[in-house]
Amino acid sequence: MKNNIASYPLTLAFFVIVFSCQSQQQSKSTIHVGGRCDGCDLMYAGLPENINSSDTTFGWKEGIGQKMIISGTVFEHDGTTPAGNTILYFYHTDNTGKYTPRNDQPAKQHGYLRGWVKTDSRGRYAIYTIKPMHYPNETFAAHIHVIVKEPKYNEYYIDEWVFDDDKYLTNEVKNRYEKRGGDGIMHAVKKDNVWIVEQNIICGLNIPDYPAR
């Protein structure tokens, strides 16, 4: 009995230390970054168990529209270290300028031209899709929505990816962009009837509440 009583303070101290460490770890992992993100939860609708560093949309497979390959490197916040194991969720309009859904598809609001890539150990990714078209009867630049999910933080959106030669991409429009994740203005080059784009991302760049490193 005396041994049990004597060991009680040590046991209690052990649990206090463990709980304190767990609480600190949890607080670090639950930091919310990026502010409000409407529609970010839809990135999990239909999320595959295994995500590759490249993804091919139905648009590319069907050949409906102008084929396009977007590839690049995702970097850590320092802008130089490759960010492996980072998920990019993307979606965009089809060749009619609409987010056309499919009956067998979740997240119908985002249309069927959507997908996920997870960067490899070098931070690289590749997306095989078609070039998005403008909204019908609107003057918005054609764009691609991108959401980033790092292993340590919640998902957050970055600037929409647009094309530097878009007729609706005026200087006024350019000045509205916050450069979240880097410059979202892309330069596309056509080669063998396929648009080629190199687009890099810097995690946390201009993202609200992102921890300084």
Side-chain angles (χ1 to χ4, degrees):
M1 186 68 178
K2 289 182 179 180
N3 291 337
N4 291 339
I5 294 175
S7 64
Y8 179 75
L10 295 176
T11 303
L12 179 61
F14 171 78
F15 281 110
V16 168
I17 293 172
V18 171
F19 179 77
S20 176
C21 291
Q22 289 179 341
S23 297
Q24 290 177 8
Q25 291 175 354
Q26 184 177 13
S27 64
K28 290 181 181 179
S29 63
T30 55
I31 295 175
H32 187 86
V33 302
R36 183 174 177 177
C37 187
D38 294 332
C40 275
D41 57 319
L42 293 179
M43 76 168 288
Y44 298 103
L47 180 71
E49 289 186 8
N50 298 311
I51 306 175
N52 298 317
S53 60
S54 66
D55 188 45
T56 304
T57 68
F58 285 109
W60 176 281
K61 296 174 182 177
E62 296 171 348
I64 302 175
Q66 304 175 50
K67 286 188 173 183
M68 179 174 62
I69 303 173
I70 305 174
S71 62
T73 302
V74 178
F75 295 100
E76 296 284 0
H77 193 53
D78 59 14
T80 57
T81 305
N85 202 34
T86 299
I87 298 174
L88 304 181
Y89 168 65
F90 65 92
Y91 65 98
H92 61 81
T93 59
D94 58 17
N95 62 313
T96 68
K98 299 179 181 179
Y99 298 103
T100 305
R102 287 175 176 263
N103 293 331
D104 58 346
Q105 164 213 332
K108 290 182 170 54
Q109 303 96 312
H110 289 179
Y112 75 99
L113 297 180
R114 62 193 291 265
W116 304 261
V117 289
K118 180 184 287 186
T119 57
D120 61 20
S121 59
R122 299 177 299 155
R124 298 288 297 176
Y125 75 92
I127 298 170
Y128 295 76
T129 187
I130 61 173
K131 200 172 184 181
M133 292 293 103
H134 302 101
Y135 296 154
N137 304 316
E138 297 285 352
T139 58
F140 294 107
H143 55 275
I144 299 174
H145 298 276
V146 183
I147 296 172
V148 176
K149 175 63 179 75
E150 298 180 58
K152 295 181 179 179
Y153 304 115
N154 59 279
E155 63 283 347
Y156 56 85
Y157 72 90
I158 59 176
D159 276 4
E160 298 167 351
W161 290 349
V162 294
F163 302 92
D164 57 4
D165 61 349
D166 194 296
K167 62 182 179 181
Y168 296 130
L169 189 63
T170 63
N171 288 330
E172 181 182 358
V173 173
K174 290 179 182 178
N175 292 332
R176 296 175 190 166
Y177 289 110
E178 303 173 77
K179 293 191 175 181
R180 293 172 59 117
D183 193 350
I185 301 176
M186 305 186 297
H187 179 68
V189 178
K190 204 166 191 178
K191 183 178 180 181
D192 298 329
N193 210 33
V194 177
W195 289 102
I196 307 296
V197 178
E198 176 78 14
Q199 183 67 4
N200 298 329
I201 297 172
I202 301 178
C203 291
L205 183 63
N206 297 320
I207 300 300
D209 303 317
Y210 198 89
R213 298 183 181 177

